[in-house]
């Protein structure tokens, strides 16, 4: 006989007091932490508990009893369901305050190292339309509300974002404020065209259906492209010549109705996931890349390239990294310029950006395709004599023999993924013993852990948070470490 689960409680008149990890708010009930999405410090709410553990609970707002003085009206009609932009109900100034606090708390609580005063966070120039890349999934069964389910509504196709925690449910998006409005016209146009012509949407469970995914990328306007540039990559899943013909109908529609597209491409993906790194991307019209510019430098961005998704704010981030790396160093004597190692260099954006102030920049990256892009970007900017790029595992490449061959680094810039650096890589950096380490991180928690590993030999000199993603809890942080005196 199955035991009945005890009903989870409704907590009434609870005050939200703080902001916690992952963009959730925090309340305390009888000394127990309660994590709540889409709430604001100062809200008085009734909470429906949906998960209860020994030391914490997770709950949803069942009723907003009294809104916080801080609360603002969310600007997006999909707020609360989409899963993105969870902080729309907070004024942007408050978002920045909490992000700064998040950085400081992580460095103090996890890092436990001596810290200087944190510089005020650099807010984003744009708080809407700031992204240069978005991806939308297609599903033959869009996510439906509880009311629609009760009414036994017919399943309808949808185009949009995956519902958090539900891999096979996609919220049908009508508008998104994260990117230039052209993405709304593209997404909604393809949806209407496919429905009108009976072209199937992807079935996430059965793994079939023609139209699967759409990626949209933009590049900022520049002198030789005053309207900017626009890339669209359609992802299909065709199994028969008839389905391939339907896919080409979609491509023809995009080429005909959106002449502003400068790079139109497609890929046939019959795998069980949406990744295309190992698949050929085919050019349908225009060029196979966009060009982004920064301080006169040009960067080639292809369909598989990594490029920071907030272009204007990436410039601010890179300026901080450069300032931390070189300080006030303005020497033009190449013999006196520092040698820089750029770890996790990706497509070499930072390496190219700092090369003018370095004698040599050595970029190292695990992904071979990214290193090829880095070399292309160096050639595009006439920096092949200033840069060298290597693909492979960091701890295998950055050996004593490698350092003897290329020179001991005066500066190491490291920009690892969210998981931070492997302890072996940290040890390699310590063995290299640069004067300065500039640590760029998208996850202050793992950054703090790594700072603790380096604390014996390096002290934290500067801390500069940078907001790349308004209305989310994500924050970038740049730390300058200086080698301690022996």
């Amino acid at each position: 006989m199955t035991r009945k689960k005890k009903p989870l409680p409704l907590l009434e008149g609870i005050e939200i007091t703080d902001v916690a990890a992952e963009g959730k708010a925090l309340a305390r009930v009888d000394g127990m932490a309660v994590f709540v999405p889409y709430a604001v410090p100062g809200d008085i709410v009734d909470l429906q508990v949906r998960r209860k553990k020994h030391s914490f609970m997770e709950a949803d707002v069942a009723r907003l009893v009294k809104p916080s003085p801080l609360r603002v009206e969310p600007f997006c009609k999909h707020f609360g369901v989409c899963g993105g932009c969870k902080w729309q109900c907070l004024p942007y100034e408050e978002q920045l305050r909490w992000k700064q606090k998040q950085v400081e708390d992580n460095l103090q609580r996890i890092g436990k190292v001596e810290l200087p005063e944190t510089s005020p966070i650099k807010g984003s120039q744009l708080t809407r339309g700031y992204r240069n890349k978005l991806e939308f999934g297609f599903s033959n069964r869009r996510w439906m509300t509880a009311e629609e389910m009760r009414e036994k509504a017919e399943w309808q196709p949808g185009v949009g974002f995956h519902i958090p925690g539900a891999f096979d449910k996609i919220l049908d998006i009508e508008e998104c404020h994260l990117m230039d409005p052209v993405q709304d016209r593209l997404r909604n146009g393809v949806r209407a065209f496919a429905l009108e012509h009976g072209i199937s949407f992807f079935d996430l469970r059965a793994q079939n259906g023609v139209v699967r995914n759409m990626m949209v990328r933009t590049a900022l306007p520049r002198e030789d492209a005053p309207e900017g540039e626009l890339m669209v990559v359609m992802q299909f899943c065709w199994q028969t010549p008839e389905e391939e013909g339907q896919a080409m109908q979609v491509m023809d529609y995009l080429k005909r109705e959106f002449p502003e597209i400068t790079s139109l491409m497609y890929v046939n993906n019959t795998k069980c996931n949406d990744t295309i790194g190992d698949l050929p991307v085919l050019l349908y019209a225009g060029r196979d890349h966009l060009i982004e510019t920064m301080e006169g430098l040009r960067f080639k961005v292809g369909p598989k390239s990594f490029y920071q998704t907030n272009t204007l704010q990436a410039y601010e981030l890179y300026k901080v990294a450069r300032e931390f790396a070189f300080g006030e160093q303005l020497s033009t004597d190449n013999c006196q310029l520092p040698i820089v190692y750029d770890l996790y260099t990706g497509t070499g954006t930072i390496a190219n950006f700092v090369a003018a102030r370095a004698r040599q920049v050595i970029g190292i990256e695990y992904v071979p395709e990214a290193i090829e892009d880095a070399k292309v970007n160096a050639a595009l900017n006439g920096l092949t004599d200033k840069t060298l790029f290597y693909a492979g595992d960091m701890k295998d490449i950055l050996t004593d023999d490698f350092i003897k061959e290329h020179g001991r680094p005066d500066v190491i810039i490291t920009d690892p993924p969210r998981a931070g650096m492997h302890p072996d890589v940290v040890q390699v950096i310590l063995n290299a013993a640069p004067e300065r380490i500039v640590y760029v991180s998208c996850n202050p928690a793992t950054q703090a852990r790594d700072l603790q590993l380096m604390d014996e030999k390096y002290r934290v000199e500067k801390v500069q948070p940078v907001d790349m993603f308004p209305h989310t809890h994500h924050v970038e942080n740049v730390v300058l470490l200086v080698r301690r005196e022996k």
Side-chain angles (χ1 to χ4, degrees):
M1 182 175 177
T2 306
R3 293 173 61 185
K4 285 187 177 181
K5 287 186 177 181
K6 188 177 180 180
L8 293 170
L10 177 71
L11 309 174
E12 297 182 317
I14 305 300
E15 182 179 2
I16 302 296
T17 57
D18 209 339
V19 170
E22 298 177 357
K24 295 176 183 176
L26 177 67
R28 293 197 177 273
V29 177
D30 298 330
M32 183 178 286
V34 187
F35 299 103
V36 187
Y38 309 112
V40 171
D43 281 344
I44 306 297
V45 292
D46 293 343
L47 295 175
Q48 178 58 61
V49 177
R50 55 182 169 81
R51 187 181 181 209
K52 187 174 182 181
K53 295 292 183 180
H54 291 297
S55 57
F56 71 92
M57 293 184 282
E58 295 179 358
D60 294 318
V61 176
R63 183 169 74 99
L64 181 60
V65 178
K66 182 181 178 183
S68 166
L70 295 177
R71 179 176 280 273
V72 294
E73 188 68 23
F75 51 79
C76 179
K77 64 190 295 182
H78 302 297
F79 175 77
V81 182
C82 165
C85 303
K86 293 179 181 178
W87 281 6
Q88 284 181 45
C89 49
L90 265 179
Y92 187 55
E93 295 74 19
E94 284 297 308
Q95 294 178 30
L96 294 177
R97 186 171 74 84
W98 286 107
K99 290 186 183 193
Q100 176 120 3
K101 184 175 184 295
Q102 176 187 332
V103 168
E104 293 171 347
D105 287 352
N106 276 297
L107 295 186
Q108 292 166 3
R109 181 172 51 84
I110 300 172
K112 297 182 174 64
V113 298
E114 186 178 350
L115 296 168
E117 183 177 353
T118 304
S119 298
I121 186 170
K122 288 182 177 289
S124 179
Q125 296 181 49
L126 298 176
T127 58
R128 302 189 199 181
Y130 60 83
R131 287 186 67 100
N132 57 39
K133 178 187 175 186
L134 279 180
E135 289 193 50
F136 303 103
F138 289 73
S139 174
N140 65 328
R141 292 187 175 193
R142 67 170 174 83
W143 181 85
M144 296 169 65
T145 64
E147 184 178 351
E148 288 174 320
M149 295 292 286
R150 283 194 297 269
E151 294 174 354
K152 296 183 179 179
E154 292 289 326
W155 287 107
Q156 298 290 328
V159 187
F161 300 125
H162 287 266
I163 292 289
F167 85 96
D168 62 337
K169 297 294 188 294
I170 281 182
L171 175 67
D172 198 44
I173 295 287
E174 295 179 11
E175 62 178 12
C176 179
H177 298 270
L178 285 171
M179 194 179 189
D180 186 287
V182 68
Q183 46 86 21
D184 286 334
R185 294 191 291 113
L186 285 162
R187 181 191 60 252
N188 297 339
V190 170
R191 178 202 291 115
F193 180 84
L195 290 173
E196 180 184 349
H197 291 80
I199 300 173
S200 59
F201 287 37
F202 194 64
D203 186 326
L204 288 153
R205 290 187 176 274
Q207 292 289 300
N208 56 37
V210 174
V211 191
R212 181 168 185 164
N213 185 280
M214 167 189 278
M215 180 176 74
V216 183
R217 300 187 91 142
T218 59
L220 292 176
R222 59 180 190 276
E223 190 174 341
D224 61 333
E227 301 300 320
E229 294 181 326
L230 174 62
M231 174 188 290
V232 176
V233 181
M234 290 300 305
Q235 195 175 139
F236 300 109
C237 179
W238 72 68
Q239 310 279 354
T240 67
E242 180 184 359
E243 290 178 335
E244 182 180 2
Q246 291 179 331
M248 293 307 103
Q249 280 183 272
V250 174
M251 298 303 292
D252 188 57
Y253 162 78
L254 285 167
K255 181 181 179 181
R256 181 178 67 251
E257 296 297 324
F258 297 91
E260 62 266 47
I261 297 176
T262 56
S263 179
L264 181 57
M265 292 177 282
Y266 67 95
V267 58
N268 185 31
N269 181 6
T270 57
K271 301 187 304 175
C272 293
N273 59 66
D274 289 339
T275 60
I276 62 171
D278 57 342
L279 297 174
V281 180
L282 304 175
L283 183 64
Y284 192 81
R287 297 184 305 174
D288 65 354
H289 63 276
L290 305 179
I291 295 292
E292 283 284 12
T293 58
M294 193 178 291
E295 281 194 358
L297 297 171
R298 296 166 70 87
F299 297 98
K300 182 180 177 182
V301 181
K304 300 179 185 180
S305 299
F306 171 79
Y307 195 82
Q308 288 283 358
T309 52
N310 185 338
T311 306
L312 293 175
Q313 203 64 356
Y315 180 42
E316 298 302 317
L317 182 73
Y318 296 157
K319 283 194 295 185
V320 171
R322 184 174 61 189
E323 178 196 338
F324 282 11
F326 304 111
E328 299 301 317
Q329 177 264 121
L330 297 173
S331 172
T332 56
D333 181 355
N334 195 55
C335 294
Q336 301 302 316
L337 294 178
I339 295 174
V340 178
Y341 285 12
D342 181 26
L343 310 188
Y344 309 94
T345 190
T347 57
T349 313
I350 292 180
N352 280 274
F353 188 73
V354 304
R357 295 198 187 180
R359 190 186 333 166
Q360 185 92 64
V361 182
I362 314 293
I364 305 173
E365 166 63 46
Y366 186 77
V367 182
E369 293 82 3
I371 286 297
E372 293 308 309
D373 285 344
K375 292 176 181 177
V376 168
N377 285 327
L380 195 62
N381 292 296
L383 292 170
T384 51
D385 61 331
K386 282 262 192 175
T387 56
L388 289 171
F389 294 101
Y390 294 90
D393 193 305
M394 210 74 60
K395 64 182 184 298
D396 295 334
I397 291 180
L398 200 55
T399 62
D400 289 339
D401 288 340
F402 183 92
I403 291 171
K404 285 179 183 177
E405 180 182 353
H406 296 92
R408 183 165 297 279
D410 301 292
V411 179
I412 284 183
I413 300 173
T414 181
D415 186 4
R418 288 190 62 78
M421 296 190 293
H422 190 280
D424 289 347
V425 176
V426 174
Q427 190 57 53
V428 164
I429 292 174
L430 295 176
N431 291 343
E435 289 293 328
R436 293 179 171 215
I437 300 169
V438 180
Y439 191 149
V440 182
S441 174
C442 59
N443 187 347
T446 54
Q447 183 185 47
R449 177 204 66 201
D450 294 343
L451 295 182
Q452 188 179 53
L453 295 176
M454 295 186 282
D455 184 52
E456 184 179 347
K457 294 186 178 180
Y458 287 86
R459 60 181 171 81
V460 177
E461 180 85 2
K462 294 181 180 180
V463 179
Q464 177 63 72
V466 181
D467 183 27
M468 303 283 286
F469 308 106
H471 312 301
T472 78
H473 64 282
H474 298 293
V475 60
E476 296 269 341
N477 191 46
V478 190
V479 169
L480 169 63
L481 299 110
V482 177
R483 194 171 64 190
R484 296 184 186 277
E485 295 296 328
K486 292 183 180 180

